[in-house]
Amino acid sequence: MPVVLTETRGRVAVITLNRPEALNALNDELMDALGEALLRFDADDRVGAIVLMGGPKAFAAGADIAVMADWGYMDVYQGQFITRNWETIRSVRKPVLAAVAGFAFGGGCELALACDVIVAAHSARFALPEIKLAMLPGAGGTQRLPRAIGKAKAMDLCLSARVLDADEADLYGLVSRVVPDDELHGATLALAERIAGYSLPALMAIKEAVNRSYESTLAEGVLFERRQLYTRFASEDAHEGMQAFLAKRPPEFKHR
């Protein structure tokens, strides 16, 4: 049985984590397959946005502890644990939306944090419980979580293994929006379809500019944003968008 399932719906690609017997615990096989699917859709001109889904009980319950339990330092160092395949998502230029129901614990929470938009079902639960194993979040959790919800809340979650429900996650800014469980897939796909209908180069420019805000000073970030804005004036789609607005008609983007 494949550990990830893929399909396309118009300009939206859907990737579903498929280890339900293990609550989608993230092992190398799954992360390799996920990375391959992400890169394939990122390179596909017919795709404008990517949706990443789990199952109704778990988006992903964390890393596969059974596999990790006997590893030593040289195993993870020489094997480039996490670096080799978990971080593939960082190189994806198109918008990636996470549809989260059930558990998003440990690595599952970190995987969701690496996405651009998180749509959470009411059943979603977020936690970084690595401290219970005398470990720490190692797939970006200690870095992305403070940027998402602030240092105080992030410290609380990381040090106490506190579990956030969907409403708390929404209140703290961890997720983009919360929907009923039975609307999760439809709402996420509808949002992805709306995003994918816009000019792809503009979407990629916005994603790059927003991500830059986390990695630079305000002055450098604003300069980067300004350069991205100027570049839009070399885009066919930008001129089409402005002309369509003036003509009061829908734009016909060519993603150029």
Side-chain angles (χ1 to χ4, degrees):
M1 181 172 66
V3 291
V4 299
L5 306 174
T6 63
E7 62 177 311
T8 55
R9 303 185 184 187
R11 288 188 55 78
V12 175
V14 180
I15 303 172
T16 303
L17 307 179
N18 190 41
R19 294 190 71 207
E21 75 289 348
L23 296 178
N24 289 332
L26 305 172
N27 60 10
D28 270 344
E29 181 186 10
L30 188 151
M31 297 310 293
D32 285 343
L34 174 59
E36 187 278 330
L38 286 167
L39 293 178
R40 173 160 50 88
F41 288 132
D42 199 38
D44 189 338
D45 292 338
R46 298 167 297 179
V47 171
I50 302 168
V51 172
L52 178 57
M53 296 183 173
K57 293 183 178 179
F59 174 71
D64 195 332
I65 305 302
V67 174
M68 299 166 51
D70 294 328
W71 287 350
Y73 174 79
M74 292 308 297
D75 294 315
V76 294
Y77 180 73
Q78 291 183 331
Q80 295 191 83
F81 175 50
I82 295 175
T83 304
R84 184 182 65 80
N85 48 13
W86 288 58
E87 294 189 347
T88 303
I89 194 170
R90 294 180 59 195
S91 66
V92 177
R93 301 178 67 194
K94 296 174 181 176
V96 181
L97 295 80
V100 179
F103 300 117
F105 282 9
C109 182
E110 292 173 299
L111 179 59
L113 283 168
C115 296
D116 303 306
V117 175
I118 302 175
V119 181
H122 284 307
S123 68
R125 298 294 182 268
F126 299 87
L128 292 172
E130 287 85 353
I131 188 62
K132 292 183 176 181
L133 307 178
M135 298 291 281
L136 79 159
T142 65
Q143 304 304 302
R144 292 192 180 95
L145 190 63
R147 287 166 167 80
I149 68 175
K151 177 184 174 182
K153 298 296 185 184
M155 279 289 193
D156 186 0
L157 265 68
C158 291
L159 296 178
S160 72
R162 178 184 176 190
V163 178
L164 289 185
D165 63 29
D167 289 334
E168 288 177 303
D170 188 29
L171 178 64
Y172 297 160
L174 177 60
V175 304
S176 307
R177 56 184 76 182
V178 178
V179 300
D181 279 63
D182 60 0
E183 297 178 14
L184 176 64
H185 288 184
T188 308
L189 287 170
L191 177 58
E193 288 167 359
R194 178 177 180 178
I195 290 171
Y198 295 126
S199 169
L200 180 56
L203 292 170
M204 293 192 295
I206 290 171
K207 174 174 176 172
E208 192 173 9
V210 173
N211 283 335
R212 181 61 65 96
S213 72
Y214 286 108
E215 301 171 359
S216 62
T217 64
L218 177 60
E220 288 298 320
V222 169
L223 178 61
F224 183 84
E225 176 191 77
R226 200 63 37 79
R227 292 291 182 261
Q228 291 283 37
L229 174 64
Y230 292 170
T231 302
R232 294 292 84 227
F233 286 88
S235 163
E236 292 183 25
D237 283 348
H239 289 284
E240 164 62 14
M242 289 186 282
Q243 292 297 328
F245 175 81
L246 293 173
K248 297 181 180 180
R249 60 171 175 81
E252 296 180 6
F253 294 129
K254 297 180 180 178
H255 307 291
R256 291 188 291 187

